[in-house]
Amino acid sequence: GRAAPPQLEAGARVLLCGLTTHTGLNGHAAKVLRFDAAQGRYTVRLEGKSRVQVDAKRLLPSTAGERCPDAPSLAAPGGLAVHSFAVQGDVLANSTGTHPVVDNDIFFEGCSEACDDCFANHLQACVAICHTGCQTYCKNSKAGIPGCAKNEFWSAMPGTNPRCTWDNNKETSCRRYRQCESKAEDGCPEAYLY
């Protein structure tokens, strides 16, 4: 069967409620990125965490100060059945040791975080740029240096590449831009383990 059409718009703020598998995420805020009709789930970006796919009945449209029904605290178990939680990245690990300029408003600790924020705010494809990171195309490349992934920072803007050339000049090269539409298969590099 085909999934029902989405009821939540991209960019909508929601709360995760009624999860029984990852109960620690109940009450956490997220932004809707898109609806996956094939799986009948929404892809959302948890605030300060990764992308996850969640069954629509586990998302509550949110306004400031709202809590999940029957939830005494953010970590309250839900007690409702839930499909397995599809995780894009490690949602349960808290990031420690991020670059000092990471503010999750303009600068983000990774490419996909910057892209998701841009997409959710502008509802269109975006372009990400690495200011400091593990890739050779970053403005301040730390490629090959152990721990470089803990000190990355990225930003993103709506639209396509600014005026650039396909050369090796870091300041003018199109190689430094990463196209993204907030999907699992975007132009962002894979997470590094060092």
Coordinates of all heavy atoms in Angstrom, one line a residue, residues 136-194:
T136 N 40.3 18.0 2.1 CA 41.3 18.9 1.5 C 40.7 20.2 1.0 O 41.4 21.1 0.8 CB 42.0 18.1 0.4 OG1 41.1 17.7 -0.6 CG2 42.8 16.9 1.0
Y137 N 39.4 20.2 0.7 CA 38.7 21.4 0.1 C 38.3 22.4 1.1 O 37.8 23.4 0.8 CB 37.6 21.0 -0.8 CG 36.6 20.1 -0.2 CD1 35.6 20.6 0.7 CD2 36.5 18.7 -0.5 CE1 34.7 19.8 1.3 CE2 35.6 17.9 0.1 CZ 34.7 18.4 1.0 OH 33.8 17.6 1.6
C138 N 38.4 22.1 2.4 CA 38.0 23.0 3.5 C 38.9 24.2 3.4 O 40.1 24.2 3.1 CB 38.1 22.4 4.8 SG 37.0 21.0 5.1
K139 N 38.3 25.4 3.8 CA 39.1 26.6 3.8 C 40.3 26.4 4.7 O 41.4 26.9 4.3 CB 38.3 27.8 4.3 CG 37.2 28.3 3.4 CD 36.5 29.5 4.0 CE 35.6 30.1 3.0 NZ 34.8 31.3 3.6
N140 N 40.2 25.8 5.8 CA 41.3 25.5 6.7 C 41.3 24.0 6.9 O 40.6 23.4 7.7 CB 41.0 26.2 8.1 CG 42.1 25.9 9.1 OD1 43.2 25.5 8.7 ND2 41.9 26.2 10.3
S141 N 42.0 23.3 6.0 CA 42.0 21.9 5.9 C 42.9 21.3 7.0 O 44.0 21.7 7.3 CB 42.6 21.4 4.6 OG 42.7 20.0 4.6
K142 N 42.4 20.3 7.7 CA 43.1 19.5 8.7 C 43.2 18.1 8.3 O 43.2 17.2 9.2 CB 42.3 19.6 10.1 CG 42.1 21.0 10.6 CD 43.4 21.7 11.0 CE 43.2 23.0 11.6 NZ 44.4 23.7 11.9
A143 N 43.1 17.8 7.0 CA 43.1 16.5 6.4 C 44.3 15.7 7.0 O 45.4 16.1 7.0 CB 43.2 16.5 4.9
G144 N 44.0 14.5 7.5 CA 45.0 13.6 8.0 C 45.4 13.8 9.4 O 46.2 13.0 10.0
I145 N 44.9 14.9 10.0 CA 45.3 15.2 11.4 C 44.3 14.4 12.4 O 43.1 14.6 12.3 CB 45.3 16.7 11.7 CG1 46.3 17.4 10.8 CG2 45.6 17.0 13.2 CD1 46.3 18.9 10.9
P146 N 44.9 13.6 13.3 CA 44.0 12.9 14.2 C 43.1 13.9 15.0 O 43.6 14.9 15.4 CB 44.9 12.1 15.1 CG 46.2 11.9 14.3 CD 46.3 13.2 13.4
G147 N 41.8 13.5 15.1 CA 40.9 14.4 15.9 C 40.3 15.5 15.0 O 39.5 16.3 15.6
C148 N 40.6 15.6 13.7 CA 40.1 16.7 12.9 C 38.6 16.8 12.9 O 38.0 17.9 12.8 CB 40.7 16.7 11.5 SG 40.1 15.3 10.5
A149 N 37.9 15.6 13.0 CA 36.4 15.6 12.9 C 35.8 16.3 14.1 O 34.7 16.8 14.0 CB 35.9 14.2 12.8
K150 N 36.5 16.4 15.2 CA 36.0 17.0 16.4 C 36.1 18.5 16.4 O 35.5 19.2 17.2 CB 36.7 16.5 17.7 CG 36.3 15.0 17.9 CD 37.0 14.5 19.2 CE 36.6 13.1 19.4 NZ 37.2 12.6 20.6
N151 N 36.8 19.0 15.4 CA 37.0 20.5 15.3 C 36.5 21.0 14.0 O 37.0 22.1 13.5 CB 38.5 20.8 15.6 CG 38.8 20.7 17.0 OD1 38.2 21.2 17.9 ND2 39.8 19.9 17.3
E152 N 35.6 20.4 13.3 CA 35.1 20.9 12.0 C 34.0 21.9 12.3 O 33.4 21.9 13.4 CB 34.4 19.7 11.3 CG 35.3 18.8 10.6 CD 34.6 17.9 9.6 OE1 33.4 17.6 9.8 OE2 35.2 17.6 8.6
F153 N 33.8 22.8 11.3 CA 32.6 23.6 11.3 C 32.3 24.0 9.9 O 33.1 24.3 9.1 CB 32.7 24.8 12.3 CG 33.6 26.0 11.9 CD1 33.1 27.1 11.3 CD2 35.0 25.9 12.2 CE1 33.9 28.2 11.0 CE2 35.8 27.0 11.9 CZ 35.3 28.1 11.3
W154 N 31.0 24.0 9.7 CA 30.4 24.2 8.4 C 29.3 25.3 8.4 O 28.7 25.5 9.5 CB 29.7 22.9 7.9 CG 30.7 21.8 7.6 CD1 31.4 21.1 8.5 CD2 31.0 21.3 6.3 NE1 32.1 20.1 7.8 CE2 31.9 20.2 6.5 CE3 30.6 21.6 5.0 CZ2 32.4 19.5 5.4 CZ3 31.1 20.9 3.9 CH2 32.0 19.8 4.1
S155 N 29.0 25.9 7.3 CA 27.8 26.7 7.2 C 27.1 26.3 5.8 O 27.7 25.6 5.0 CB 28.1 28.2 7.2 OG 29.0 28.5 6.1
A156 N 25.9 26.8 5.6 CA 25.2 26.5 4.4 C 24.3 27.7 4.0 O 23.9 28.5 4.9 CB 24.3 25.2 4.5
M157 N 24.0 27.8 2.7 CA 23.2 28.9 2.2 C 22.2 28.3 1.2 O 22.6 27.3 0.5 CB 24.0 30.0 1.6 CG 24.9 29.6 0.5 SD 26.0 30.9 0.0 CE 27.2 30.0 -1.0
P158 N 21.1 28.9 1.0 CA 20.1 28.4 0.0 C 20.6 28.7 -1.4 O 21.3 29.6 -1.6 CB 18.8 29.2 0.3 CG 19.3 30.4 1.0 CD 20.5 30.0 1.8
G159 N 20.2 27.8 -2.3 CA 20.6 28.0 -3.7 C 21.7 27.1 -4.2 O 21.9 26.0 -3.7
T160 N 22.3 27.5 -5.3 CA 23.4 26.7 -5.9 C 24.7 27.4 -5.6 O 24.8 28.5 -5.0 CB 23.2 26.6 -7.4 OG1 23.1 27.9 -8.0 CG2 21.9 25.9 -7.7
N161 N 25.8 26.8 -6.2 CA 27.1 27.3 -6.0 C 27.2 28.8 -6.4 O 26.7 29.2 -7.4 CB 28.1 26.6 -6.9 CG 28.4 25.2 -6.5 OD1 28.0 24.7 -5.4 ND2 29.2 24.5 -7.3
P162 N 27.9 29.6 -5.6 CA 28.2 30.9 -6.0 C 29.2 30.9 -7.2 O 29.6 29.8 -7.5 CB 28.9 31.5 -4.8 CG 28.6 30.6 -3.6 CD 28.4 29.3 -4.2
R163 N 29.4 32.0 -7.8 CA 30.4 32.0 -8.9 C 31.7 31.4 -8.5 O 32.3 31.8 -7.5 CB 30.6 33.5 -9.3 CG 31.2 33.6 -10.6 CD 31.2 35.0 -11.1 NE 31.8 35.2 -12.3 CZ 31.9 36.3 -13.0 NH1 31.5 37.4 -12.4 NH2 32.5 36.3 -14.1
C164 N 32.1 30.4 -9.3 CA 33.3 29.7 -9.0 C 33.9 29.1 -10.2 O 33.3 29.1 -11.3 CB 33.1 28.6 -7.9 SG 31.8 27.4 -8.4
T165 N 35.1 28.5 -10.1 CA 35.8 27.9 -11.2 C 36.2 26.5 -10.8 O 36.4 26.2 -9.6 CB 37.0 28.7 -11.7 OG1 37.9 28.8 -10.5 CG2 36.7 30.0 -12.2
W166 N 36.3 25.6 -11.8 CA 36.8 24.2 -11.5 C 38.3 24.1 -11.6 O 38.9 23.6 -12.5 CB 36.1 23.2 -12.5 CG 34.7 23.1 -12.2 CD1 33.6 23.7 -12.8 CD2 34.1 22.4 -11.1 NE1 32.4 23.3 -12.2 CE2 32.7 22.5 -11.1 CE3 34.6 21.6 -10.0 CZ2 31.8 22.0 -10.2 CZ3 33.7 21.0 -9.1 CH2 32.4 21.2 -9.2
D167 N 38.9 24.7 -10.6 CA 40.4 24.6 -10.5 C 40.8 24.2 -9.0 O 39.9 23.8 -8.2 CB 41.0 25.9 -10.9 CG 40.5 27.1 -10.0 OD1 40.1 26.9 -8.8 OD2 40.6 28.2 -10.5
N168 N 42.0 24.3 -8.7 CA 42.5 23.9 -7.4 C 42.7 25.0 -6.4 O 43.3 24.9 -5.4 CB 43.8 23.0 -7.5 CG 43.5 21.7 -8.1 OD1 42.4 21.1 -7.9 ND2 44.4 21.2 -9.0
N169 N 42.3 26.2 -6.8 CA 42.5 27.4 -5.9 C 41.4 27.3 -4.9 O 40.2 27.4 -5.2 CB 42.3 28.7 -6.8 CG 42.5 29.9 -5.9 OD1 42.1 30.0 -4.7 ND2 43.0 31.0 -6.5
K170 N 41.8 27.2 -3.6 CA 40.8 27.0 -2.5 C 39.8 28.2 -2.5 O 38.7 28.0 -2.1 CB 41.5 26.9 -1.2 CG 42.0 25.5 -0.9 CD 42.5 25.5 0.5 CE 43.0 24.1 0.9 NZ 43.4 24.0 2.2
E171 N 40.2 29.4 -2.8 CA 39.3 30.5 -2.7 C 38.2 30.6 -3.8 O 37.2 31.2 -3.6 CB 40.1 31.8 -2.6 CG 40.9 31.9 -1.3 CD 40.0 31.8 0.0 OE1 39.0 32.4 0.1 OE2 40.4 31.0 0.9
T172 N 38.5 30.1 -5.0 CA 37.6 30.2 -6.1 C 37.1 28.9 -6.6 O 36.2 28.9 -7.5 CB 38.3 31.0 -7.3 OG1 39.5 30.2 -7.7 CG2 38.8 32.4 -6.9
S173 N 37.6 27.8 -6.1 CA 37.2 26.5 -6.7 C 35.8 26.1 -6.3 O 35.4 26.2 -5.1 CB 38.2 25.4 -6.2 OG 37.8 24.2 -6.7
C174 N 35.1 25.5 -7.3 CA 33.7 25.0 -7.0 C 33.8 23.7 -6.2 O 32.8 23.3 -5.6 CB 33.1 24.6 -8.4 SG 32.7 26.1 -9.4
R175 N 35.0 23.1 -6.1 CA 35.1 21.8 -5.3 C 34.8 22.0 -3.8 O 34.5 21.1 -3.1 CB 36.6 21.3 -5.5 CG 36.8 20.7 -6.8 CD 38.3 20.2 -7.0 NE 38.5 19.6 -8.3 CZ 38.8 20.3 -9.4 NH1 38.8 21.6 -9.4 NH2 39.0 19.7 -10.5
R176 N 34.9 23.2 -3.3 CA 34.7 23.5 -1.9 C 33.3 23.5 -1.5 O 33.0 23.5 -0.3 CB 35.4 24.8 -1.4 CG 34.8 26.0 -2.0 CD 35.7 27.2 -1.6 NE 35.1 28.4 -2.0 CZ 35.2 29.5 -1.3 NH1 35.9 29.6 -0.2 NH2 34.6 30.6 -1.7
Y177 N 32.4 23.6 -2.5 CA 30.9 23.6 -2.2 C 30.3 22.2 -2.2 O 30.7 21.4 -3.1 CB 30.2 24.5 -3.2 CG 30.7 25.9 -3.1 CD1 31.5 26.5 -4.1 CD2 30.4 26.7 -2.0 CE1 32.0 27.7 -4.1 CE2 30.9 28.0 -1.9 CZ 31.7 28.5 -3.0 OH 32.2 29.8 -2.9
R178 N 29.4 21.9 -1.4 CA 28.7 20.7 -1.3 C 27.2 20.9 -1.5 O 26.6 21.6 -0.7 CB 28.9 19.9 0.0 CG 30.4 19.5 0.2 CD 30.7 18.5 -0.8 NE 32.2 18.2 -0.9 CZ 32.9 18.5 -2.0 NH1 32.4 19.0 -3.1 NH2 34.2 18.2 -2.0
Q179 N 26.6 20.4 -2.6 CA 25.2 20.5 -2.8 C 24.4 19.6 -1.9 O 24.9 18.5 -1.7 CB 24.9 20.1 -4.3 CG 25.6 21.0 -5.3 CD 25.1 22.4 -5.3 OE1 23.9 22.7 -5.2 NE2 25.9 23.4 -5.4
C180 N 23.3 20.1 -1.4 CA 22.6 19.2 -0.5 C 21.1 19.6 -0.5 O 20.7 20.7 -0.7 CB 23.1 19.3 0.9 SG 23.3 21.0 1.6
E181 N 20.3 18.5 -0.4 CA 18.8 18.7 -0.3 C 18.3 18.0 0.9 O 17.1 17.6 0.9 CB 18.2 18.2 -1.6 CG 18.6 19.0 -2.8 CD 17.9 18.5 -4.0 OE1 16.6 18.2 -4.0 OE2 18.5 18.4 -5.1
S182 N 19.1 17.8 1.9 CA 18.7 17.2 3.2 C 18.2 15.8 3.0 O 17.2 15.4 3.6 CB 17.6 18.1 3.8 OG 17.5 17.7 5.2
K183 N 18.9 15.0 2.2 CA 18.6 13.6 2.0 C 19.8 12.8 2.4 O 20.9 13.4 2.5 CB 18.4 13.3 0.5 CG 17.1 14.0 0.0 CD 16.9 13.7 -1.5 CE 15.7 14.4 -2.0 NZ 15.5 14.1 -3.4
A184 N 19.6 11.6 2.6 CA 20.8 10.7 3.1 C 21.9 10.7 2.0 O 23.0 10.7 2.3 CB 20.3 9.3 3.3
E185 N 21.5 10.8 0.7 CA 22.5 10.8 -0.3 C 22.7 12.2 -0.9 O 22.4 12.6 -2.0 CB 22.1 9.9 -1.5 CG 20.8 10.2 -2.2 CD 19.5 9.7 -1.4 OE1 19.6 8.9 -0.5 OE2 18.5 10.3 -1.7
D186 N 23.3 13.1 0.0 CA 23.6 14.4 -0.4 C 25.1 14.6 -0.7 O 25.8 13.6 -0.7 CB 23.1 15.5 0.6 CG 23.7 15.3 2.0 OD1 24.8 14.7 2.1 OD2 23.1 15.8 2.9
G187 N 25.6 15.7 -0.9 CA 27.0 15.9 -1.3 C 27.9 16.0 -0.1 O 29.1 16.3 -0.2
C188 N 27.4 15.8 1.1 CA 28.2 15.9 2.3 C 29.1 14.7 2.4 O 28.7 13.6 2.1 CB 27.3 15.9 3.6 SG 26.4 17.5 3.7
P189 N 30.3 14.9 3.0 CA 31.2 13.8 3.2 C 30.8 12.9 4.3 O 30.0 13.3 5.1 CB 32.5 14.5 3.6 CG 32.1 15.7 4.2 CD 30.9 16.1 3.4
E190 N 31.2 11.6 4.3 CA 30.9 10.7 5.3 C 31.6 11.2 6.6 O 32.5 11.9 6.6 CB 31.4 9.3 5.0 CG 30.8 8.7 3.8 CD 29.3 8.4 4.0 OE1 28.9 8.0 5.1 OE2 28.5 8.6 3.1
A191 N 31.0 10.7 7.8 CA 31.6 11.1 9.1 C 32.9 10.4 9.2 O 33.1 9.2 8.7 CB 30.7 10.6 10.2
Y192 N 33.9 11.0 9.8 CA 35.2 10.5 10.0 C 35.3 9.9 11.3 O 34.7 10.3 12.3 CB 36.3 11.6 9.8 CG 36.5 11.9 8.4 CD1 35.6 12.8 7.7 CD2 37.5 11.4 7.6 CE1 35.8 13.2 6.4 CE2 37.7 11.7 6.3 CZ 36.8 12.6 5.7 OH 37.0 12.9 4.4
L193 N 36.1 8.8 11.5 CA 36.3 8.1 12.8 C 37.5 8.6 13.5 O 37.8 8.1 14.6 CB 36.3 6.6 12.5 CG 35.1 6.0 11.8 CD1 35.4 4.5 11.6 CD2 33.9 6.2 12.7
Y194 N 38.2 9.6 13.0 CA 39.4 10.1 13.7 C 39.2 11.5 14.1 O 38.3 12.2 13.7 CB 40.7 9.9 12.9 CG 40.6 10.4 11.4 CD1 40.9 11.7 11.1 CD2 40.2 9.6 10.4 CE1 40.9 12.2 9.8 CE2 40.1 10.0 9.1 CZ 40.5 11.3 8.8 OH 40.4 11.8 7.5

